[in-house]
Amino acid sequence: MSYLDVFSLDGHVALVPGGGGAIGAAVSRALAAAGAKVVVANRTLDRAAAAADAVRSEGGDAIALEMDATVEADCERAVAAAVERYGRLDLLVNCVGGGAGKVLFDAQEYPRDAWDWIMELNLRSVLVPTQAAVRQMIRQGEGGRIVNLSSVRALLGIDAGYSAYVAAKGAVESLTRQWATEWARHGIRVNGIRPTFVDTPQVAMLLGDPVFKAGLVSRIPLGRVGGTDDMTGAVVFLLSDAAAFITGQTIGLDGGLTATQ
Ligand SMILES: NC(=O)c1ccc[n+]([C@@H]2O[C@H](COP(=O)([O-])OP(=O)(O)OC[C@H]3O[C@@H](n4cnc5c(N)ncnc54)[C@H](OP(=O)(O)O)[C@@H]3O)[C@@H](O)[C@H]2O)c1
């Protein structure tokens, strides 16, 4: 046995809500490359199908499902599909979220409908798939591993109208600790990653503004914005046996940004 075997996800089955998105698709490919079988679940089926095709074109094993992560019946169906196709479910990576830059309002005026939309997209979308997946992991009785997608906005205020997003991502990190505490008795580890801007379509407009980008990069000690491939290694690590004693943690993937604050 090689020392590197602890990083393998061989024999594990993963559900990736939001797996059709920029980070979710990269995560799906990485999980498959590390040996997992992957259920790519996305609200828009075409995007899930494209991500699953990418996995298969690289020799991995994946299926695509249409799933609204805020709808309990959809999440139950996705878990059942994983069990039917691959016999079990061990891993969950919650990749649904975003929308922060689309609804920017002064905190004292933040409208309830925008607040509810961001909370649905970033918090309920994590809660509902996790409940469905964990019920299955507990039924199996062999533990499980979960990674949630947070953001540096969980830690850092920003004077740009982000009230709802910072609240949602802060709650995701709180739940990561809470779930780690509650589900440790079932052998289920729960961790997270906390990126700053990742070069994806969600933030393409902002990163396309050279003044904004230069200001951002000047605050990042490693001197660049992250790419989706900067996210995947940490996710695979946290899901693997190499992280067997890590739970309740959210790792900053920010080129050192938060180290400077
Ligand atoms: N990109 C960044 O710079 C950045 C930085 C920090 C944190 N993050 C976090 O990383 C995560 C992924 O971001 P991303 O950049 O990969 O975003 P993305 O490309 O927009 O991916 C999100 C995916 O989630 C899907 N989705 C949205 N609502 C859904 C729902 N209710 N049910 C199922 N699927 C749904 C979207 O599909 P549809 O096409 O159907 O909407 C999309 O494929 C988010 O939590 C985000 O907050 C991103």
Side-chain angles (χ1 to χ4, degrees):
M1 178 177 147
S2 152
Y3 186 71
L4 291 178
D5 287 350
V6 291
F7 292 93
S8 169
L9 300 180
D10 251 350
H12 292 283
V13 178
L15 174 63
V16 185
I23 295 174
V27 163
S28 297
R29 289 171 51 212
L31 301 190
K37 296 174 169 48
V38 185
V39 178
V40 184
N42 206 77
R43 187 174 49 189
T44 308
L45 180 59
D46 286 358
R47 299 189 71 182
D53 283 350
V55 167
R56 286 191 294 267
S57 73
E58 293 169 359
D61 192 344
I63 57 170
L65 293 180
E66 183 176 329
M67 182 192 94
D68 185 330
T70 64
V71 174
E72 285 177 23
D74 277 25
C75 296
E76 288 291 347
R77 252 198 310 275
V79 169
V83 173
E84 189 185 328
R85 173 65 184 251
Y86 296 123
R88 54 189 299 109
L89 179 66
D90 317 285
L91 313 175
L92 173 71
V93 187
N94 283 307
C95 294
V96 176
K102 292 189 178 151
V103 279
L104 302 175
F105 300 97
D106 289 344
Q108 69 277 15
E109 306 291 352
Y110 208 96
R112 188 63 59 85
D113 56 348
W115 179 275
D116 290 346
W117 180 66
I118 287 287
M119 287 292 166
E120 285 276 303
L121 178 57
N122 288 280
L123 187 54
R124 187 178 168 85
S125 68
V126 174
L127 172 68
V128 179
T130 302
Q131 289 179 317
V134 166
R135 286 194 288 266
Q136 175 61 26
M137 290 170 186
I138 292 173
R139 277 195 294 274
Q140 288 172 189
E142 294 177 42
R145 296 108 190 247
I146 298 169
V147 172
N148 295 323
L149 267 286
S150 181
S151 157
V152 293
R153 297 275 77 89
L155 295 185
L156 306 177
I158 178 171
D159 187 9
Y162 275 66
S163 294
Y165 189 71
V166 301
K169 291 300 190 184
V172 167
E173 292 203 16
S174 297
L175 277 175
T176 299
R177 290 186 290 271
Q178 178 63 24
W179 289 338
T181 307
E182 281 196 36
W183 295 333
R185 71 175 70 90
H186 299 292
I188 298 170
R189 295 189 293 102
V190 188
N191 291 295
I193 61 168
R194 184 192 303 122
T196 182
F197 282 91
V198 185
D199 196 356
T200 58
Q202 279 236 16
V203 296
M205 281 260 290
L206 276 173
L207 294 182
D209 174 348
V211 176
F212 176 87
K213 187 169 179 183
L216 173 66
V217 167
S218 74
R219 298 197 307 280
I220 297 176
L222 289 181
R224 65 177 176 85
V225 171
T228 54
D229 288 345
D230 290 309
M231 308 294 111
T232 53
V235 174
V236 170
F237 164 66
L238 288 169
L239 294 174
S240 75
D241 287 346
F245 202 46
I246 300 177
T247 197
Q249 307 301 312
T250 300
I251 299 182
L253 303 181
D254 63 8
L257 173 69
T258 48
T260 69
Q261 306 294 305

